[in-house]
Amino acid sequence: MAGPALVKNDPDPRPKIGALIRARRKQQQMTLKALGQASGLSVGYLSQLERDHATPSLATLVQIARTLDVGVDYFIAAPSAKDALTRSNERKTFSVDGSSVIYERLSAEFPGNVLSSFVMTVPPGYVSETVSHEGEELLFVLEGEITQTLDGEVMVMREGDSLHFRGNKPHAWSNHTDKPARLLWSGTLTLFRSLDAAKVLPDAHNKPGGKPAKTSAKSKTTSKEKTS
């Protein structure tokens, strides 16, 4: 009897350079023609690169990286499994100055990543502003309740409920109850590349509450409330 078939692992699990170029170009809302004009490369050659039908030299990759406003490591660095894993007791937890919402960061940073994820603890009485932006969002209620307004429609979301929507629709949310709510938020909107602007709260797991934020629209523009 023949043994079980062996699945050959890809020796290089990194995304192909072409896919990374295309993803970054679209993220920058740039056409192939615009990329070609800015980088000095032909549209035909760039098209071949994006389809992985050609391999760029390092010098060419530098030209493309500069035009797309990234470092060369965006295309050649591979994230390790160690960097991708976060333990529940080691997770980066923070808040934005002036905000009472606490965030636990789930997503990792590596060249080419587009997904951001957080577990958010929202205190009673909190109300966000109404916003719209590029990308998409997925919201899942872990504990408690929130009131979500999306494109003029008001929805009460309870534990286990989820909502997946395009960020360009006006949306806002609030905790209308007297208990904290915990939410899982994921989205393709680029958020933090460092926590320099955030106030780190190493003991935030033990401080899920807090007073509702009393920030101005100006101060909120740096917070996660802008994106949800």
Side-chain angles (χ1 to χ4, degrees):
M1 180 182 294
L6 297 178
V7 177
K8 184 177 180 181
N9 293 325
D10 186 345
D12 187 356
R14 292 176 296 183
K16 299 296 184 182
I17 287 178
L20 292 174
I21 293 174
R22 182 169 57 253
R24 179 61 180 175
R25 175 175 62 79
K26 290 184 176 181
Q27 188 180 47
Q28 297 290 89
Q29 299 182 338
M30 183 179 293
T31 64
L32 268 177
K33 182 178 180 180
L35 177 58
Q37 291 175 338
S39 64
L41 301 170
S42 71
V43 172
Y45 179 64
L46 288 171
S47 178
Q48 286 186 314
L49 287 181
E50 289 196 354
R51 289 178 290 139
D52 290 308
H53 291 171
T55 302
S57 66
L58 183 58
T60 297
L61 203 55
V62 169
Q63 286 177 262
I64 296 172
R66 286 176 177 171
T67 304
L68 295 177
D69 195 27
V70 292
V72 176
D73 63 335
Y74 176 93
F75 300 109
I76 60 179
S80 67
K82 180 180 178 182
D83 293 334
L85 176 66
T86 58
R87 301 291 185 185
S88 60
N89 61 341
E90 300 174 351
R91 192 168 295 141
K92 291 181 179 179
T93 305
F94 61 95
S95 70
V96 177
D97 285 341
S99 172
S100 54
V101 178
I102 296 172
Y103 307 91
E104 301 173 44
R105 189 173 186 177
L106 304 180
S107 52
E109 286 185 14
F110 52 84
N113 74 298
V114 295
L115 182 66
S116 296
S117 296
F118 301 89
V119 170
M120 304 165 56
T121 301
V122 185
Y126 183 85
V127 180
S128 80
E129 73 273 36
T130 300
V131 296
S132 59
H133 51 74
E134 77 276 10
E136 56 185 295
E137 299 186 24
L138 175 63
L139 190 64
F140 182 87
V141 181
L142 299 171
E143 298 175 15
E145 297 182 8
I146 64 163
T147 299
Q148 176 81 36
T149 303
L150 177 62
D151 205 16
E153 183 174 351
V154 179
M155 298 165 281
V156 176
M157 297 178 61
R158 299 179 176 86
E159 182 176 333
D161 292 345
S162 63
L163 183 66
H164 185 193
F165 59 96
R166 291 185 181 277
N168 60 1
K169 293 184 176 181
H171 54 281
W173 50 271
S174 63
N175 182 351
H176 58 280
T177 74
D178 59 358
K179 296 180 180 179
R182 295 185 75 241
L183 318 173
L184 170 63
W185 181 92
S186 293
T188 57
L189 178 65
T190 301
L191 297 176
F192 301 109
R193 287 306 174 197
S194 72
L195 299 183
D196 293 343
K199 177 182 177 182
V200 177
L201 299 178
D203 298 323
H205 284 88
N206 300 320
K207 302 177 182 178
K211 296 181 180 179
K214 296 181 179 179
T215 55
S216 64
K218 181 178 180 180
S219 65
K220 284 186 177 181
T221 58
T222 58
S223 72
K224 171 65 184 66
E225 288 88 325
K226 180 181 178 182
T227 65
S228 296

